[in-house]
Amino acid sequence: LAKTTQPISMDSYEGQEVNITCSHNNIATNDYITWYQQFPSQGPRFIIQGYKTKVTNEVASLFIPADRKSSTLSLPRVSLSDTAVYYCLVGSSSGSARQLTFGSGTQLTVLP
Amino acid sequence: EAGVAQSPRYKIIEKRQSVAFWCNPISGHATLYWYQQILGQGPKLLIQFQNNGVVDDSQLPKDRFSAERLKGVDSTLKIQPAKLEDSAVYLCASSLTDSYPYEQYFGPGTRLTVT
């Protein structure tokens, strides 16, 4: 079961690029890496998912090195509305419920 | 497309009382999840359904919690009797499948306060 470690909090300024790294040293061969965003009083929202190398969508990029022991969520040009908690999940289709238990996440605060 | 619906949004009960939460997933989504999120923590999966069958309920406290998904659509989560430590937000999520790659869609949650 791959345990994930993320920074508890990060601060950034509007317009900057933000990179949040998640460590998952014992990731398994079949595991995918998924990032969710959660605003106060809302359920988490899917951001991006990947297996290896780099994945990009309209809101973020996900960088996964060759050894897959970590991953980095990159948010380009953040705004105040990106202030939220960001969660990294690692799991596979054959995994247990514990893989779908989110860690404490990273509180990102974007400052004006 | 309508999102995941949950009701009620808020509930306050006294300990030892019973409570039920309802979830209506996105149409066509075969997989449904119930999570418990305690203040300051990430969501913890309680139970996962695939259609109307239970895939995983290993983290569901079965002495007081129960869940069902009749006809593979709506689902209810019940707590009987409630304890103070059950105070949390209960989130329902759904997905088309549970085979990666996939994404979960979450509802707004039900905030339960047990006094």
Side-chain angles (χ1 to χ4, degrees):
Chain A
L1 191 66
K3 176 180 167 58
T4 60
T5 303
Q6 304 174 232
I8 293 174
S9 64
M10 294 180 67
D11 289 344
S12 181
Y13 290 96
E14 280 191 291
Q16 289 188 329
E17 178 184 73
V18 170
N19 296 309
I20 306 174
T21 297
C22 178
S23 297
H24 28 80
N25 290 321
N26 56 340
I27 188 169
T29 302
N30 296 331
D31 285 345
Y32 279 73
I33 300 155
T34 311
W35 285 82
Y36 285 85
Q37 173 193 55
Q38 187 175 29
F39 299 111
S41 301
Q42 295 185 24
R45 183 175 72 105
F46 174 90
I47 302 175
I48 197 165
Q49 184 177 83
Y51 181 77
K52 62 180 180 180
T53 62
K54 177 184 174 182
V55 180
T56 298
N57 61 23
E58 62 276 7
V59 298
S61 294
L62 178 59
F63 298 92
I64 306 169
D67 66 6
R68 304 202 325 126
K69 292 184 183 300
S70 67
S71 58
T72 299
L73 174 71
S74 181
L75 304 172
R77 300 179 298 281
V78 294
S79 64
L80 296 176
S81 62
D82 292 317
T83 293
V85 178
Y86 292 82
Y87 295 99
C88 162
L89 277 182
V90 172
S92 69
S93 299
S94 59
S96 71
R98 284 183 292 279
Q99 289 189 328
L100 289 177
T101 290
F102 293 57
S104 296
T106 299
Q107 171 66 58
L108 171 65
T109 301
V110 180
L111 306 168
Chain B
E1 165 180 275
V4 176
Q6 291 188 248
S7 67
R9 290 296 312 277
Y10 305 92
K11 190 74 176 178
I12 301 174
I13 63 172
E14 296 181 351
K15 58 183 179 184
R16 291 186 291 273
Q17 286 187 323
S18 301
V19 65
F21 313 124
W22 174 80
C23 173
N24 180 239
I26 292 173
S27 177
H29 281 196
T31 313
L32 186 145
Y33 315 79
W34 281 103
Y35 287 85
Q36 179 192 60
Q37 185 170 24
I38 294 172
L39 187 64
Q41 300 181 18
K44 171 187 172 183
L45 182 70
L46 295 176
I47 188 168
Q48 176 182 339
F49 291 95
Q50 181 71 14
N51 297 309
N52 61 346
V54 175
V55 173
D56 194 323
D57 62 358
S58 58
Q59 299 193 125
L60 185 74
K62 298 180 188 64
D63 57 334
R64 297 183 301 106
F65 286 65
S66 65
E68 61 181 8
R69 190 184 185 196
L70 298 177
K71 300 181 181 179
V73 182
D74 293 4
S75 177
T76 55
L77 176 69
K78 297 178 182 178
I79 307 175
Q80 179 180 12
K83 293 184 176 181
L84 295 177
E85 58 261 35
D86 297 332
S87 293
V89 174
Y90 290 85
L91 295 161
C92 179
S94 70
S95 61
L96 272 172
T97 174
D98 63 350
S99 295
Y100 278 93
Y102 72 94
E103 62 181 273
Q104 295 182 64
Y105 295 81
F106 284 81
T110 296
R111 182 176 298 277
L112 173 68
T113 302
V114 182
T115 63

